[in-house]
Amino acid sequence: MSDFDVSYAVYGGLHDGNQKIVYAFDVASVLSSVLNAPGATGIVQCGNKIFGDPLLDYQKHFGALVNNRYFACEEGQTIDFYHGGGAPASGQAGTSSNLVVKFAVYGALDEGDESFAQAFDVTARLQAIVNAIGGVVACDNASFGDPSVENKKHFAAVVNRGGTDFYFACEEGQAIDFANAWVVNQ
């Protein structure tokens, strides 16, 4: 019996900060294998060594939904999946005819502490923004609130566009064009 149920996990970033060029991997199966391996501790360093490198020479970002808790961090940080994480938000997301947000998280590790993951489930909020203004969304505190005051936040999402799931990741302050971005997913 597994201790960890990984619903979604995304690792990647924007090429040169460009909202229209996204490199991100679906790393849910890799994370599940690591977390549920014999002798695993539930503590994982989120980086290229485990997930591969979707974007050479650029900072990557990670987000996941594990055991119904939301986690987010930057490349190279370590998360203790037994502690912290944000709870799902209440309410339903609603849908747009072209874009359906399946998962979205925004957060950080408080002062980089692996046991203090602070993240918001922003699935419904992202869907509402996309429905209201279209595909370009600023991934910042104004859009999603501030789950981890005074820490740089990280964003990850799975968005269905025209029947296909696409994976997105970036850091606080960057924008993503969910409707038109050229997306490289593994």
Side-chain angles (χ1 to χ4, degrees):
M1 184 164 139
S2 299
D3 289 327
F4 294 98
D5 176 28
V6 179
S7 300
Y8 295 101
V10 178
Y11 181 67
L14 302 180
H15 183 270
D16 210 21
N18 188 326
Q19 68 188 15
K20 291 187 179 266
I21 306 174
V22 181
Y23 287 79
F25 289 167
D26 172 4
V27 296
S29 63
V30 173
L31 182 61
S32 181
S33 294
V34 170
L35 287 172
N36 293 304
T41 63
I43 298 172
V44 176
Q45 183 177 25
C46 301
N48 299 339
K49 185 176 179 181
I50 291 176
F51 301 132
D53 192 346
L55 187 58
L56 294 173
D57 300 325
Y58 290 93
Q59 179 72 35
K60 271 72 74 182
H61 311 280
F62 170 83
L65 174 58
V66 178
N67 291 346
N68 212 29
R69 305 289 296 172
Y70 288 77
F71 298 87
C73 71
E74 69 180 294
E75 173 184 7
Q77 288 187 311
T78 300
I79 296 177
D80 178 349
F81 286 93
Y82 280 116
H83 298 95
S90 60
Q92 296 298 319
T95 60
S96 164
S97 60
N98 297 346
L99 301 172
V100 177
V101 180
K102 298 174 86 172
F103 157 78
V105 61
Y106 181 67
L109 300 177
D110 187 21
E111 296 184 13
D113 189 323
E114 67 189 30
S115 296
F116 291 104
Q118 299 173 322
F120 286 163
D121 167 9
V122 296
T123 306
R125 181 68 186 133
L126 178 60
Q127 187 70 63
I129 294 169
V130 167
N131 291 349
I133 65 170
V136 179
V137 177
C139 299
D140 57 20
N141 297 340
S143 295
F144 302 128
D146 192 346
S148 189
V149 177
E150 297 183 14
N151 293 298
K152 179 173 72 172
K153 270 66 76 183
H154 310 280
F155 171 85
V158 178
V159 177
N160 187 286
R161 187 168 76 189
T164 302
D165 287 348
F166 291 93
Y167 302 86
F168 299 89
C170 70
E171 70 180 43
E172 176 181 4
Q174 293 181 319
I176 296 176
D177 185 344
F178 291 96
N180 299 302
W182 180 70
V183 182
V184 177
N185 293 157
Q186 179 181 20

